[in-house]
């Protein structure tokens, strides 16, 4: 095999498979075996899908017959366990969904498969995607491949860890308030949250419907661009998807930064919350882009100061409504009742939900239910929605002056397992740089650009774009990637 599968790009691999230089079966077998070997150390995958080998053989047969195969022909993927996969248990890392086997694929998964990707398995996450450290999973914490004592970030921690350890060639995560970008930063991979409405939410377990988006978490900017092309675009099954044509992001990638205008958010400038290594990486990224000819402009988004409050209010409110469907009747888990006949219905619901949901999920349901309750709705949820609109207006003004905004992804790099899980407020505050992107419906991404000085843990740079301007942030990320001081650095588990 002339292809080095640990470094090969998705398009190189798919082309080599289509040209019969290597078979899809060989490639998928390689990654499946690698996952089987390394996953016990990381706990990144919740479930493996041995059928991926059959999927790969089908692709090889199509190629043998001269049939057309897609741009991801034979490229093995891991899928966050929040996305429905036909015939494969989908749990959202909750006891509540144990045993739920969807009869259909989410649109994202269906599109990946149509493009020839194989599905190696389902990736761990915080329960119902609520969390920033992957410690709230019913299936246990995921270890950061750079140092197993540290969290991989969350909620798409399994996706980030699996990708960083290159257990697969690509993964899919979801991002409601930072869950693609923050774990990508913590594990040193490239992750992009598309514009709200760019990617279909059909078949994705809903957390906060007005904020959720799925996107790629992969090894390179080019792979991110290609994967996004495949999964994006109008879907009849999700009325919020945009009819806008999907550009050829990967072919259009352009690292020329001359004349590009990059925004720096005034309000982020003197934040004392930011860890010194993150500040250093951020300043280094700015210097690099300046050296490449980019111009910098200061923009002001005063309402970002309320982003975390707005986000936790709105996301918890929507979650409390979305999670009402898990009642022990329709899906997954039901408490083991001895005598169903004589049982009052509310006891049936209450006991099932008390046993089925974890602590963090219950906290959000309680908070959300309170915010939506009569007498409080206008004061909390209604007000937050109004401020959210104003925040979006402030971004519109900022993007009249620049092509992309640069910022840190999170206030701190990865932290040790067990050190923050008992302090939810501290955990929530880590999301200060990511949540406003979702509130305004903007595309955002993280690209690796540094390592911490003490323990060599990855640090990413966040790029945020105006609505449907994914190409612009991908281009800046592409330029940063080419000049990244951590280019080629991989975790020990490799
Ligand atoms: N950390 C945020 C939360 O806990 C973001 C989660 C997400 O984006 N899914 O809600």
């Amino acid at each position: 095999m002339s292809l080095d599968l640990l470094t090969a790009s998705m398009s190189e691999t798919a082309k080599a498979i289509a040209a019969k230089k290597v078979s899809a079966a060989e490639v998928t077998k390689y990654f499946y075996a690698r996952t089987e070997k390394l996953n016990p150390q990381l706990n990144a995958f919740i479930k493996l899908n041995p059928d991926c080998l059959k999927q790969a053989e089908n692709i090889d047969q199509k190629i043998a017959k001269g049939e057309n195969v897609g741009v991801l022909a034979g490229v093995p993927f891991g899928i966050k366990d929040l996305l429905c996969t036909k015939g494969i248990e989908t749990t959202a890392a909750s006891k509540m969904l144990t045993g739920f086997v969807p009869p259909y694929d989410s649109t994202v998964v269906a599109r990946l498969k149509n493009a020839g990707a194989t599905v190696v398995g389902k990736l761990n996450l915080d329960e119902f995607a609520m969390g920033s450290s992957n410690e709230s999973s019913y299936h246990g914490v995921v270890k950061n491949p750079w140092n197993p004592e540290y969290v991989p970030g969350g909620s798409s921690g399994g996706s980030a860890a699996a990708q960083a350890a290159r257990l697969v060639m690509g993964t899919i995560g979801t991002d409601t308030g930072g869950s693609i970008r923050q774990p990508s930063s913590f594990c040193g991979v490239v992750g992009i949250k598309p514009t709200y409405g760019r990617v279909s939410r059909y078949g994705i377990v809903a957390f906060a419907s007005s904020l959720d988006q799925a996107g790629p978490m992969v090894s390179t900017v080019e792979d991110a661009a290609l994967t996004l092309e495949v999964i994006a675009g109008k879907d009849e099954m999700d009325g919020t998807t945009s009819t806008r044509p999907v550009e050829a992001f990967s072919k259009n990638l352009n690292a020329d930064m001359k004349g590009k205008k990059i925004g720096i958010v005034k309000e982020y400038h003197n934040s004392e919350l930011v860890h010194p290594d993150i500040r250093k990486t951020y300043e280094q990224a700015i210097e690099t882009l300046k050296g490449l000819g980019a111009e910098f402009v200061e923009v002001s988004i005063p309402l970002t100061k309320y982003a975390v409050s707005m986000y936790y209010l709105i996301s918890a409110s929507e979650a409390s409504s979305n999670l009402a469907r898990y009642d022990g009747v329709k899906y997954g888990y039901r408490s083991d009742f001895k005598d169903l006949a004589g049982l009052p219905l509310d006891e049936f619901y209450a006991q099932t939900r008390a046993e089925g949901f974890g602590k963090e999920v219950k906290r959000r349901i309680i908070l959300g239910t309170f915010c939506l309750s009569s007498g409080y709705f206008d004061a909390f949820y209604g007000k937050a929605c109004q401020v959210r609109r104003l925040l979006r207006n402030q971004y519109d003004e900022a993007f009249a002056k620049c092509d992309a905004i640069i910022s840190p992804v999170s206030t701190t790099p990865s932290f040790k397992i067990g050190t923050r899980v008992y302090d939810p407020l501290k955990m929530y505050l880590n999301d200060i740089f990511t949540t406003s992107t979702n509130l305004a419906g903007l595309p955002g991404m993280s690209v690796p650009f540094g390592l911490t000085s003490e323990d060599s843990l990855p640090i990413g740079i966040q790029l945020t774009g105006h609505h449907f301007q994914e190409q612009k942030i991908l281009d800046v990320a592409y330029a940063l990637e080419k000049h990244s001081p951590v280019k080629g650095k991989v975790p020990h588990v490799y």
Side-chain angles (χ1 to χ4, degrees):
M1 212 187 289
S2 61
L3 208 61
D4 178 359
L5 290 177
L6 289 181
T7 55
S9 75
M10 291 182 187
S11 76
E12 269 176 303
T13 308
K15 279 180 195 146
I17 290 171
K20 298 186 207 158
K21 291 195 181 125
V22 55
S23 71
E26 271 176 277
V27 173
T28 293
K29 237 183 246 161
Y30 172 86
F31 283 103
Y32 193 82
R34 186 171 168 81
T35 297
E36 274 189 316
K37 181 167 145 226
L38 296 176
N39 192 52
Q41 295 173 42
L42 298 172
N43 199 28
F45 276 90
I46 291 174
K47 196 166 202 85
L48 296 189
N49 173 34
D51 279 352
C52 63
L53 297 171
K54 257 186 251 150
Q55 245 182 305
E57 281 161 16
N58 278 341
I59 288 161
D60 288 328
Q61 277 162 16
K62 276 192 180 171
I63 293 169
K65 284 193 235 150
E67 287 174 26
N68 258 348
V69 284
V71 291
L72 294 177
V75 175
F77 266 79
I79 308 291
K80 185 177 184 177
D81 201 28
L82 200 66
L83 286 89
C84 285
T85 36
K86 187 175 177 178
I88 310 171
E89 189 184 15
T90 298
T91 68
S94 179
K95 181 177 179 183
M96 200 57 157
L97 276 174
T98 311
F100 170 59
V101 180
Y104 66 102
D105 276 325
S106 51
T107 298
V108 168
V109 169
R111 288 186 179 179
L112 285 173
K113 282 189 186 168
N114 273 342
T118 59
V119 175
V120 170
K122 303 300 292 288
L123 292 159
N124 209 340
L125 64 147
D126 280 298
E127 185 179 2
F128 283 103
M130 297 173 190
S132 307
S133 63
N134 221 125
E135 289 166 287
S136 79
S137 167
Y138 177 60
H139 303 281
V141 65
V142 176
K143 312 274 167 59
N144 190 318
W146 293 77
N147 184 332
E149 287 178 19
Y150 285 77
V151 301
S155 64
S156 313
S159 308
Q163 189 64 43
R166 192 88 171 170
L167 302 188
V168 276
M169 284 195 133
T171 69
I172 296 294
T174 66
D175 191 310
T176 303
S179 284
I180 286 179
R181 291 159 287 156
Q182 185 255 29
S184 293
S185 174
F186 281 18
C187 290
V189 305
V190 178
I192 178 163
K193 177 205 100 70
T195 308
Y196 186 80
R198 195 50 126 165
V199 172
S200 170
R201 289 177 293 111
Y202 178 67
I204 301 178
V205 175
F207 165 8
S209 310
S210 76
L211 300 159
D212 299 342
Q213 272 290 291
M217 296 170 69
V218 294
S219 297
T220 63
V221 175
E222 190 205 315
D223 285 355
L226 181 64
T227 306
L228 183 60
E229 264 166 62
V230 168
I231 63 173
K234 179 71 191 157
D235 177 20
E236 291 307 322
M237 304 305 280
D238 174 1
T240 62
T241 48
S242 167
T243 51
R244 246 166 221 263
V246 176
E247 296 114 274
F249 300 121
S250 59
K251 292 205 181 71
N252 296 345
L253 282 175
N254 178 2
D256 184 3
M257 291 293 107
K258 284 192 202 75
K260 291 272 184 286
K261 291 213 171 74
I262 314 283
I264 294 183
V265 182
K266 187 174 142 207
E267 288 75 17
Y268 290 166
H269 232 43
N270 291 319
S271 171
E272 334 76 59
L273 295 170
V274 176
H275 187 282
D277 287 338
I278 299 220
R279 184 174 297 285
K280 208 173 112 209
T281 303
Y282 171 60
E283 282 163 3
Q284 216 175 338
I286 293 176
E287 283 317 307
T288 303
L289 290 170
K290 271 190 190 155
L292 295 171
E295 290 168 34
F296 281 79
V297 289
E298 190 176 81
V299 296
S300 174
I301 309 170
L303 286 173
T304 54
K305 128 163 134 211
Y306 301 117
V308 170
S309 320
M310 269 187 271
Y311 168 78
Y312 277 94
L313 225 147
I314 293 173
S315 65
S317 300
E318 293 184 14
S320 74
S321 161
N322 274 326
L323 270 58
R325 75 191 70 175
Y326 306 110
D327 54 7
V329 179
K330 301 190 241 357
Y331 306 90
Y333 179 74
R334 173 183 301 170
S335 184
D336 186 17
F337 296 105
K338 298 276 163 299
D339 176 20
L340 265 181
L343 192 74
L345 192 58
D346 49 358
E347 233 170 82
F348 170 88
Y349 290 153
Q351 192 171 320
T352 297
R353 289 163 69 85
E355 291 167 10
F357 289 131
K359 226 182 183 162
E360 183 60 28
V361 172
K362 283 180 190 158
R363 186 179 290 134
R364 311 262 182 137
I365 293 175
I366 292 168
L367 175 64
T369 307
F370 175 74
C371 293
L372 293 180
S373 60
S374 111
Y376 293 101
F377 182 95
D378 290 332
F380 293 122
Y381 186 71
K383 192 53 102 200
C385 290
Q386 287 171 331
V387 183
R388 178 180 185 181
R389 176 67 228 193
L390 297 177
L391 173 74
R392 185 183 164 137
N393 293 351
Q394 291 184 351
Y395 270 107
D396 286 344
E397 279 169 37
F399 283 115
K401 296 192 209 141
C402 63
D403 297 303
I405 289 175
I406 190 166
S407 71
V409 179
S410 60
T411 51
T412 68
S414 170
F415 40 89
K416 279 203 171 149
I417 291 170
T419 54
R420 272 192 212 174
V421 72
Y422 302 108
D423 188 350
L425 272 185
K426 194 166 177 192
M427 193 80 100
Y428 297 172
L429 278 175
N430 201 279
D431 299 339
I432 190 159
F433 298 125
T434 48
T435 45
S436 48
T437 313
N438 304 69
L439 289 164
L442 303 166
M445 67 184 293
S446 174
V447 60
F449 204 74
L451 289 176
T452 56
S453 46
E454 227 169 84
D455 30 23
S456 293
L457 293 164
I459 299 173
I461 289 293
Q462 179 170 238
L463 299 160
T464 309
H466 207 191
H467 298 110
F468 299 100
Q469 303 285 306
E470 282 87 357
Q471 188 73 56
K472 285 190 180 169
I473 56 172
L474 285 164
D475 286 351
V476 181
Y478 195 47
L480 283 175
E481 178 179 66
K482 281 188 190 304
H483 298 90
S484 171
V486 295
K487 206 171 159 180
K489 293 233 160 69
V490 288
H492 308 299
V493 77
Y494 227 61

